[in-house]
Amino acid sequence: MGPRIGPVGEEPRMSDKDTKAMMSTEDIPQGKASPNSQDLQRSVFYSIKFFVLCHSLLQLAQLMISGYLKSSISTVEKRFGLSSQTSGLLAAFNEVGNTALIVFVSYFGSRVHRPRLIGYGAVLVALAGLLMSLPHFISEPYRYDRASPVDMPQDFEASLCRSETLVPDPTPAPSNSSCSSYTETQHLAVVGIMFTAQTLLGVGGVPIQPFGISYIDDFAHNSNSPLYLGILFAVTMMGPGMAYGLGGLMLRLYVDIDRMPEGGISLTSKDPRWVGAWWLGFLISAGAVALAAVPYFFFPREMPKEKHEIRFWRKVLTVSDSPVSKGEDSPSEQSLREPLEKQDGLVQIAPDLTVIQFIKVFPRVLLRTLRHPIFLLVVLSQVCMSSMVAGMATFLPKFLERQFSVTASYANLLIGGLTIPSAIIGIVVGGMLVKRLHLGPMRCGALCLLGALFCLLLSLPLFFMGCPTHRIAGITHEPGNLPGLEQFPACRGNCSCPLDDFNPICDPSTHVEYLTPCQAGCTSRVVQEALDKSQVFYANCSCVVGGGPVPAGSCDSACSHLVLPFMFLVSLGAALASLTHTPSFMLILRGVKKEDKTLAVGIQFMLLRVLAWMPSPVIHGSAIDTTCVYWAQSCGRRAVCRYYDHDLLRNRFVGLQFFFKTGSLACFALILAILRQQDKEERTQVTVSIPGLQQQQPLVSGPEKKPEEFRA
């Protein structure tokens, strides 16, 4: 089993109350329990199984609230006028808070009440979720038509063509009146609140995973611990999928559902101005985390060690023939433990050292570990893979919205229902292959190489699967412009159109989109009432053949059906990339000294956070911003992007993914080459030392082999 937290050779000290808890009916002849044992048996808080259940639910809720922002990133951008670079930085701030404190919090892990500290961390996560939703309540109601006066129904007369002689001077007065110092201060306050909430979200998550894993490992039966960690891992991995599912449901609701304007709204979820109830998901997730945190304040600091092995688990593992019976971690146990234990690595570096000694010894061990070529290459390959995953998890919903003209809700449901389950299946299959085929380091390297290669090949068709850029009057320019595509069409006469208004309409005959009815020369508005919704049309449009009527909203995309094949290839690639997860971790375990394994996992976690999960969303967001062709302006500053060049967006987003996949493939190729060279040198040494002995080395790394040796 994994190393215990606390001084070496020292068993956990239990209070009198905890000592009594060790009594059970099995300890008393004929099964007669004492009154004290009967009282304690009724307390589920002395059961490690109940702790596993509570911790599975807590980590599920924590990952759901951590991943929820990614499902609503484009909605937050539209609501508060953020660029993709800023929203990517906002998503990365979750990792900043976590990484900044993981070393110090983990160092003090053996000196604190672990369940209670987990509870405090969960409460902080819940408060951060509430803080994340606060901007909705302190901001003014969302006005999707900023040019209309407050006392006039939105979308009514403000966007229509009106003669310049009928418009009072100055024309941009509504815009200027909204750019007061108070408005700018409020915007900065809202953005600051969200960044603070994301930081606290990361800080609160620091003690949850490592302390929970070490607590289970300390008090579960040695043979049951892999099963408990496997259950914990399986339940936890559903968190991101539930986050996207929750986002898909919440974004169907209008953002101001708690303060709807009189007469309702005329928007649908397909309208580019639609903003969903992004804040509601944070409230639901925060409530779930708060409920899951309650039991941790009742668990003891130390509970009695579980005495009995689960027989079902024993039959499955055939413990008598496995490394577990010899006191070692089997590959299956390590693969189950690793994804959750990566944050636990720094907990056990040096529990007996003082803070000063810990700081002094850490750089030396760090450099010694980084000098190992296999370890360094494996970590670099995982950095590339994690960068690809971080960018896709953050901006894939927005990419689908823009590229295929689908709603934010539908994009989230596709990711939560296809991509996340595929990644889970890939990780499980990778662990099963390592276990069932008894793969040694060289075969693990070959499996990683194949997984990365096919993942790279599957991304090639994605460059050609997309929709063309919408034709927008005054923005897109093509050779032989169609009527209406020029910058200032003469057809709209002397209409005075607000420059910062955004109320798109589509000319169905030419598939040309206009930013506002005013720019199409429309002078009247017609509402057709239906049973479940109302449809808005604009008529008497001088720039439209026949004068209309034309429907409100953006033009429909002719290739939205390609979103399903696109997501199928993305999900299949995610499964193949996840296939390398467990084998690459086994390369680290087999490639470093036994005493450095825990530190190696901790260093791996730190490097992935610093080099991948923090910078990747910002890199992807910056690349997306470079493809924008029309920015909305807010008080003289660049706000949210209204339109993108679809070809550039696809090539740069998919190109970044391709770049990181290529880097991972190159690292795995170097790893396999080094392993082959080491194996060749080892066989040569064996032949020279024992002349005439031709012994075929097995392809399985057995228990008698040293961890630092690389053999096929």
Side-chain angles (χ1 to χ4, degrees):
M1 301 312 301
R4 300 169 65 92
I5 291 188
V8 178
E10 180 179 332
E11 292 295 323
R13 295 186 295 274
M14 291 186 291
S15 61
D16 294 338
K17 182 178 179 180
D18 295 337
T19 305
K20 292 178 182 179
M22 296 182 64
M23 301 174 63
S24 62
T25 55
E26 289 80 8
D27 299 328
I28 300 176
Q30 300 176 351
K32 297 180 181 180
S34 65
N36 289 338
S37 66
Q38 291 176 353
D39 292 339
L40 291 175
Q41 282 179 339
R42 285 194 293 266
S43 176
V44 294
F45 297 104
Y46 284 87
S47 169
I48 193 64
K49 296 182 181 67
F50 184 65
F51 182 88
V52 172
L53 173 63
C54 292
H55 207 61
S56 299
L57 296 177
L58 176 60
Q59 290 198 175
L60 176 68
Q62 184 219 349
L63 281 187
M64 186 168 66
I65 195 173
S66 298
Y68 180 75
L69 176 64
K70 296 177 176 63
S71 70
S72 55
I73 199 79
S74 63
T75 302
V76 173
E77 288 180 10
K78 282 192 286 187
R79 178 64 181 92
F80 299 106
L82 305 179
S83 65
S84 294
Q85 184 183 45
T86 303
S87 62
L89 185 62
L90 178 63
F93 254 66
N94 186 4
E95 309 295 340
V96 172
N98 194 297
T99 306
L101 290 180
I102 184 66
V103 176
F104 299 99
V105 172
S106 299
Y107 171 77
F108 292 105
S110 60
R111 299 163 172 80
V112 298
H113 192 301
R114 282 176 284 178
R116 196 168 296 167
L117 194 62
I118 292 174
Y120 291 143
V123 170
L124 184 59
V125 169
L127 292 177
L130 295 177
L131 186 62
M132 195 67 192
S133 65
L134 181 62
H136 167 75
F137 298 99
I138 66 175
S139 300
E140 296 180 355
Y142 172 60
R143 299 194 63 81
Y144 51 85
D145 185 359
R146 295 189 302 113
S148 63
V150 176
D151 58 350
M152 182 183 295
Q154 297 189 63
D155 234 4
F156 185 51
E157 293 182 358
S159 297
L160 298 179
C161 176
R162 291 180 293 173
S163 174
E164 294 181 1
T165 59
L166 299 179
V167 179
D169 293 328
T171 300
S175 176
N176 288 340
S177 63
S178 65
C179 293
S180 62
S181 59
Y182 170 77
T183 304
E184 282 298 284
T185 303
Q186 186 185 46
H187 174 78
L188 293 177
V190 163
V191 175
I193 288 174
M194 289 192 292
F195 273 94
T196 303
Q198 280 294 102
T199 305
L200 294 179
L201 201 61
V203 172
V206 169
I208 293 178
Q209 282 191 341
F211 291 170
I213 293 169
S214 63
Y215 195 83
I216 294 172
D217 192 41
D218 280 351
F219 303 115
H221 189 279
N222 288 352
S223 298
N224 294 342
S225 184
L227 173 63
Y228 294 154
L229 294 176
I231 294 173
L232 183 66
F233 172 49
V235 174
T236 299
M237 284 209 65
M238 294 188 294
M242 293 185 65
Y244 284 105
L246 181 64
L249 295 176
M250 294 301 102
L251 296 183
R252 291 182 177 180
L253 306 175
Y254 185 61
V255 60
D256 288 327
I257 191 174
D258 58 329
R259 46 186 178 182
M260 291 287 286
E262 294 184 8
I265 59 173
S266 58
L267 290 184
T268 65
S269 59
K270 293 183 179 181
D271 195 294
R273 296 170 297 167
W274 174 270
V275 172
W278 62 273
W279 53 274
L280 195 54
F282 282 108
L283 292 181
I284 295 174
S285 301
V289 173
L291 289 177
V294 172
Y296 287 89
F297 296 98
F298 299 96
F299 282 108
R301 178 169 182 169
E302 294 162 350
M303 68 170 57
K305 180 82 173 179
E306 190 179 33
K307 293 183 178 182
H308 299 286
E309 177 186 357
I310 299 177
R311 294 183 179 180
F312 164 77
W313 184 237
R314 180 167 187 167
K315 290 179 181 179
V316 172
L317 284 184
T318 60
V319 176
S320 59
D321 297 329
S322 71
V324 174
S325 61
K326 301 178 179 61
E328 299 182 2
D329 287 349
S330 67
S332 64
E333 176 184 340
Q334 290 163 336
S335 64
L336 290 174
R337 181 195 311 270
E338 182 273 333
L340 296 173
E341 193 179 44
K342 65 179 183 179
Q343 292 197 21
D344 193 28
L346 294 174
V347 175
Q348 305 165 11
I349 294 177
D352 294 330
L353 298 179
T354 65
V355 177
I356 302 301
Q357 292 172 333
F358 174 80
I359 295 176
K360 288 182 178 179
V361 74
F362 181 78
R364 293 200 301 269
V365 184
L366 174 64
L367 291 176
R368 183 180 68 195
T369 306
L370 290 179
R371 281 198 297 264
H372 198 291
I374 297 296
F375 173 81
L376 189 59
L377 286 173
V378 170
V379 170
L380 287 178
S381 68
Q382 291 180 341
V383 165
C384 292
M385 279 292 184
S386 296
S387 298
M388 181 265 295
V389 172
M392 181 172 290
T394 305
F395 289 109
L396 183 58
K398 177 175 180 175
F399 176 83
L400 297 179
E401 290 177 52
R402 298 294 186 169
Q403 186 68 217
F404 300 101
S405 299
V406 299
T407 64
S409 174
Y410 184 59
N412 282 308
L413 292 179
L414 285 178
I415 297 172
L418 291 178
T419 308
I420 301 298
S422 299
I424 295 175
I425 292 174
I427 293 178
V428 173
V429 171
M432 290 176 60
L433 290 176
V434 173
K435 170 66 178 177
R436 297 298 180 186
L437 302 181
H438 305 285
L439 300 182
M442 187 175 293
R443 289 189 174 182
C444 282
L447 179 61
C448 291
L449 182 65
L450 289 176
L453 176 61
F454 285 108
C455 179
L456 183 68
L457 294 178
L458 282 176
S459 64
L460 289 175
L462 301 182
F463 284 100
F464 310 99
M465 298 176 65
C467 299
T469 306
H470 290 178
R471 292 184 293 183
I472 305 109
I475 296 177
T476 56
H477 305 280
E478 301 175 1
N481 281 345
L482 292 174
L485 282 181
E486 58 270 18
Q487 182 69 33
F488 298 103
C491 57
R492 72 185 191 190
N494 60 348
C495 296
S496 177
C497 302
L499 297 178
D500 59 349
D501 191 12
F502 183 65
N503 180 16
I505 64 170
C506 176
D507 181 357
S509 61
T510 59
H511 290 284
V512 174
E513 192 168 319
Y514 297 86
L515 293 178
T516 63
C518 179
Q519 293 194 8
C522 302
T523 59
S524 63
R525 176 178 179 268
V526 180
V527 179
Q528 291 185 356
E529 299 291 343
L531 294 177
D532 54 344
K533 62 180 180 179
S534 60
Q535 178 67 47
V536 178
F537 291 89
Y538 292 91
N540 300 325
C541 304
S542 58
C543 295
V544 176
V545 178
V550 294
S554 295
C555 296
D556 292 331
S557 176
C559 59
S560 296
H561 61 280
L562 292 178
V563 67
L564 289 178
F566 185 93
M567 285 303 299
F568 174 76
L569 290 178
V570 169
S571 301
L572 191 56
L576 290 172
S578 302
L579 191 70
T580 67
H581 186 268
T582 301
S584 62
F585 178 71
M586 295 304 298
L587 289 174
I588 292 179
L589 292 180
R590 294 291 183 262
V592 298
K593 296 181 179 180
K594 185 175 182 180
E595 60 270 20
D596 289 343
K597 283 184 180 180
T598 302
L599 177 62
V601 175
I603 294 173
Q604 174 198 23
F605 152 72
M606 291 291 293
L607 291 178
L608 290 182
R609 287 290 176 104
V610 174
L611 300 180
W613 290 99
M614 286 198 296
S616 181
V618 182
I619 294 173
H620 281 77
S622 301
I624 291 174
D625 283 342
T626 62
T627 67
C628 183
V629 294
Y630 178 71
W631 290 93
Q633 299 293 321
S634 176
C635 300
R637 64 174 179 84
R638 194 175 70 176
V640 66
C641 181
R642 298 293 191 190
Y643 293 102
Y644 292 91
D645 185 320
H646 286 190
D647 293 331
L648 271 180
L649 176 63
R650 183 175 62 254
N651 290 335
R652 293 185 182 177
F653 184 78
V654 178
L656 268 178
Q657 302 284 304
F658 190 86
F659 171 78
F660 288 122
K661 291 175 183 178
T662 303
S664 180
L665 178 65
C667 290
F668 283 131
L670 290 175
I671 290 170
L672 192 60
I674 293 175
L675 290 177
R676 287 182 179 276
Q677 182 64 28
Q678 290 180 349
D679 181 71
K680 182 178 179 181
E681 293 175 356
E682 184 177 300
R683 291 177 183 273
T684 303
Q685 292 176 358
V686 171
T687 304
V688 172
S689 59
I690 309 178
L693 179 61
Q694 302 294 334
Q695 181 179 359
Q696 180 70 26
Q697 296 291 335
L699 291 175
V700 179
S701 183
E704 73 278 358
K705 298 179 182 180
K706 297 181 180 180
E708 63 270 20
E709 293 179 350
F710 279 91
R711 300 181 181 180

